[in-house]
Amino acid sequence: MMQFPDLDVRMNAVGAKAVRLVGVFNLLAISKKWRLLGGMMSIVAASLSACSSTPPQALPATSVPGRWQYATASVAADAVSQQWWRGFGSDELDQLLTRAQRDSFDVQAAAARVEQAVAQARIAGAPLLPELNLGVNASRQDYLDSHRNADGSSHTVALAASYEVDFWGRNRALRDRARYLLQSSRHDLDTVQLTLTSGVARLYLQVLGLAERLSIAELNVANASRVLDVVEARYRAGAATALEVAQQRGLLASQQRTLETLRQQLADGKTALAVLIGLPPAELVIGGQGLQGVQTPQITPGLPAQLLVRRPDIARAEAALAAADANTLAARAAMLPRVQLTGSLGLGGEQWSDMLAHPIYSVAAALTAPVFNAGRLAAGRDLALAQRTELLQNYRAAIVAAFGDVETALNAVQAIEQQRRWQSEELAQAERAFRLAETRYRAGADTLLTMLDAQRTWYSAQDQAVQLTLANLQGRVALFKALGGGWQLTPASAS
């Protein structure tokens, strides 16, 4: 985990630095102006204790559980890798994710934000070095009256340098803030990529599940049509009533309606998947692989403490908090005097050939201290402290939310596994009951109502089996995402 600057220690050292600076001015007291500066610094040093008010609170200790509440041991479980989706054994999913990572507009926008943060970090670090400016000027002045002449030619070349002595660490704090914000933007990019990959995997599995449910619905519509033919034949033979015909036709119409609903949902799922990848919906092609061809990966969640370095959103919140610490230090330093050094070297003359004859240089030092600003600087310090408090709570909330995400995903995977065991028995018995009811109805040993009820139960069990299979796979996607998707906070990503 990254370390935060000790603002209290740094700000307490401000008074000592001021006293040393007063001593320097006293040693240089060879003129009235240096003695005047020394007196000004003495006044400033006496007021520094008021400027360095209560420092920001330290990063609190985080309560980490010793184990996961809903974790179950798995002999075939593997650690989460950055290409976790390969555990589903789908080449098509792998191709879609490769294309999504390349073409996603969200990822490209997040990458652009990283480039912006890089530029901001360079801008923030620039004041730590002197600034040089070169100026060249040539002018000509003369009368419009041709009878009078004026030698108004001048040529100058000047090199000017300026530098603010970062005595209180304000510029360094602003540079550190920009660097922490750069870290935050990089972690934000990692979060966007993790959200993208998990979103594509979830939608892809949903499309496969809807396609499989659609196939089951089509088979059940065909089966309902076959049963309707039997009922109508029995009606024509006088062995069935008009009520039985109407009931079977109503069941067939209901299944046709369900069929159209699934077709709409499948089309919407494909559209959502295409948009997430960054493709026009018409260009997305999904093969005929069903959920039965997708493997079920086994996952080990590891220790809860490891989650703190495996979630990019936690690292992002921590970097933002570190940036707030640096911003607080800069806001406090803004309340202290500023020392500006300037110097210039110039060449000038009426002719270019005379420029080297009389070079001119100047050196100056300026000390400015805030005296009255209607509380603006103090309000800026209070604003920085309040923002730091907000980000501290966001950081703590991100940790708690991360633990909650993992527990929810683990509970879902465990619960769905249990449901699938019972549902498989439910499906087998529902099919057996329908076959028996159909045979008994053909033989006239049972009513149509019994067969229709068995038929609806069988169809519902088939559809529920697909939904549970889908929920099981999507639950593992959610668990991969909750565990950080194989992301790891390294010294390189934290620096």
Side-chain angles (χ1 to χ4, degrees), residues 189-491:
L189 172 60
D190 295 332
T191 302
V192 170
Q193 291 176 330
L194 176 58
T195 303
L196 172 70
T197 54
S198 60
V200 169
R202 181 183 58 82
L203 283 175
Y204 173 73
L205 294 171
Q206 179 177 319
V207 167
L208 294 186
L210 287 170
E212 194 162 325
R213 291 178 63 193
L214 182 62
S215 299
I216 293 174
E218 289 173 345
L219 292 175
N220 278 275
V221 166
N223 184 67
S225 298
R226 181 176 57 82
V227 172
L228 178 60
D229 293 339
V230 174
V231 174
E232 288 178 341
R234 288 173 56 83
Y235 174 72
R236 288 191 296 268
T241 64
L243 176 60
E244 293 176 334
V245 175
Q247 287 176 329
Q248 182 61 24
R249 285 178 178 173
L251 177 63
L252 178 59
S254 175
Q255 293 183 349
Q256 289 281 13
R257 175 182 55 80
T258 301
L259 187 65
E260 295 303 323
T261 300
L262 290 173
R263 285 173 178 164
Q264 177 188 357
Q265 292 176 355
L266 178 59
D268 291 344
K270 289 182 177 179
T271 299
L273 179 58
V275 171
L276 189 59
I277 294 175
L279 287 174
E283 294 185 10
L284 179 65
V285 178
I286 301 296
Q289 181 188 26
L291 289 180
Q292 301 303 322
V294 179
Q295 300 176 9
T296 303
Q298 301 297 326
I299 315 165
T300 176
L303 297 175
Q306 297 174 342
L307 191 65
L308 300 180
V309 294
R310 285 167 50 175
R311 292 264 302 214
D313 57 336
I314 294 180
R316 178 186 182 277
E318 188 176 357
L321 181 58
D325 280 335
N327 190 47
T328 301
L329 179 60
R332 291 183 173 192
M335 304 174 66
L336 305 175
R338 302 173 66 176
V339 179
Q340 186 79 21
L341 303 178
T342 59
S344 64
L345 175 64
L347 303 173
E350 296 180 355
Q351 303 294 330
W352 290 105
S353 58
D354 299 334
M355 293 189 61
L356 297 177
H358 303 287
I360 301 175
Y361 76 93
S362 67
V363 178
L367 174 67
T368 58
V371 177
F372 176 76
N373 49 64
R376 176 177 58 85
L377 296 179
R381 175 203 59 197
D382 296 341
L383 173 62
L385 287 170
Q387 290 173 337
R388 199 263 183 191
T389 301
E390 176 190 2
L391 291 171
L392 173 62
Q393 302 309 317
N394 291 341
Y395 171 70
R396 300 174 69 178
I399 293 176
V400 174
F403 288 134
D405 291 342
V406 176
E407 291 287 12
T408 299
L410 287 171
N411 185 34
V413 169
Q414 181 179 354
I416 292 172
E417 283 288 356
Q418 297 296 331
Q419 295 175 44
R420 290 184 68 198
R421 293 190 182 96
W422 291 110
Q423 205 279 331
S424 60
E425 178 66 18
E426 177 186 356
L427 176 61
Q429 296 302 323
E431 181 180 7
R432 182 170 180 269
F434 172 70
R435 301 301 183 194
L436 291 173
E438 184 180 23
T439 302
R440 289 175 59 83
Y441 177 74
R442 288 177 180 272
D446 224 331
T447 64
L448 177 65
L449 184 61
T450 301
M451 186 184 71
L452 292 180
D453 184 65
Q455 186 180 19
R456 281 191 292 265
T457 301
W458 184 38
Y459 168 73
S460 177
Q462 288 177 297
D463 190 69
Q464 186 65 32
V466 176
Q467 292 188 53
L468 282 175
T469 301
L470 174 62
N472 180 47
L473 294 172
Q474 287 185 331
R476 294 172 191 276
V477 172
L479 181 55
F480 277 125
K481 180 183 178 183
L483 292 173
W487 187 88
Q488 189 77 19
L489 181 64
T490 61

